[in-house]
Amino acid sequence: MRKLLLLAATAAMALGASQALSQDKKQLVIVVKGLDNPFFEAINQGCQKWNSENASSEYECFYTGPASTSDEAGEAQIVQDMLGKPSTVAMAISPSNAKLIAQTIKTAAPTIPIMTLDADLTVEDAALRKTYLGTDNYLMGKRIGDYMKEAKPSGGKVCSIQGNPGADNILRRAQGWRDSLSGQEGLAELKGEGGWTEVAGCPVFTNDDGAKGVQAMTDILAANPDLAGFGIMGGWPLFGAPQPYRDLFKPLADKIASNEFVIGAADTIGDEVAIAKEGLVTALVGQRPFEMGYKAPSVMIDLIEGKPVADPVFTGLDECTKDTVDTCIQK
């Protein structure tokens, strides 16, 4: 918790620094789900690097978001407020609740370019933005499933840990995970397909709260002593509550090592790679948030200038196991 508070304070300081850069510059606004998440702080670091490298530009990257990733209404309000500022000339949004953000955009009816970052709008609302920059979330979920299936081909009882039920990126990951495990496409629940069955009470939605995720996994394990694994669609329990996560899974370390129990998790930030090195997760499939924050201003400028921009613009994945932790992260 102390680490998260420090990160939030750092993010707030960075936001203040961004606000102080220049009152005259045109602002390329990045709105994230919440300032309490180290994943989004990495996006901010990419944004600030772009500013440092483009100090003479007429544009500046402006990073903001609600204090908490669970504050969906707060994010929507920030989007609305920033769209009302004449200094805002383009916006990149990571929607916590895709439908709510889509409605906010419709109501505001902006004339400036809007893109999504990290998380997208739903397919039905995709026309509201010019492009999506970030992870191929379906592929990310599929790779999590691939690692679990490779480790334990016989399958078993599993549970997925998810974030916000309205977050399109997490839902896409979960679909890719189910498709991989089952060998079928489009299943809303695993009921024995490919040997995998989702237990009662799953998926668990944690609103990106790491401690809540660890508690949920504790409860699921207690209720299902024959559970074969977890698919964690965001790294919140590992980077948000690393010590409670370690305490929960150290007793299962031998089972994880022998692939009797499998854990596939998203992201490679905070303590996650160290946890993989300790053998307390089967595989990590990580995103590149710094790259997202660094690239977003340039994409927004291209949109402003009417240049062709691909849709989507995918950043890559970093895939880590215990055996590859020293080399798996893109430098």
Side-chain angles (χ1 to χ4, degrees), residues 170-217:
I170 302 301
L171 297 176
R172 293 190 191 201
R173 290 177 204 171
Q175 192 61 64
W177 174 74
R178 290 190 180 100
D179 290 0
S180 172
L181 292 181
S182 67
Q184 303 180 36
E185 293 187 358
L187 296 175
E189 181 183 354
L190 300 176
K191 300 180 179 180
E193 296 87 358
W196 300 90
T197 300
E198 291 181 73
V199 298
C202 296
V204 175
F205 294 98
T206 66
N207 288 320
D208 298 7
D209 185 316
K212 185 175 180 180
V214 174
Q215 184 59 57
M217 290 190 288

Side-chain angles (χ1 to χ4, degrees), residues 233-303:
M233 299 300 110
W236 322 287
L238 291 83
F239 65 67
Q243 194 54 51
Y245 178 92
R246 288 182 169 101
D247 293 342
L248 177 61
F249 288 108
K250 277 182 180 177
L252 294 176
D254 289 343
K255 289 186 175 181
I256 295 171
S258 66
N259 292 326
E260 183 180 347
F261 194 90
V262 292
I263 306 172
D267 298 324
T268 52
I269 59 178
D271 277 16
E272 287 194 83
V273 175
I275 287 171
K277 195 166 189 174
E278 294 161 22
L280 299 180
V281 64
T282 304
L284 301 172
V285 180
Q287 307 176 81
R288 296 175 181 168
F290 180 91
E291 183 180 345
M292 296 177 201
Y294 182 69
K295 284 186 173 181
S298 296
V299 174
M300 285 190 271
I301 291 172
D302 284 347
L303 292 172

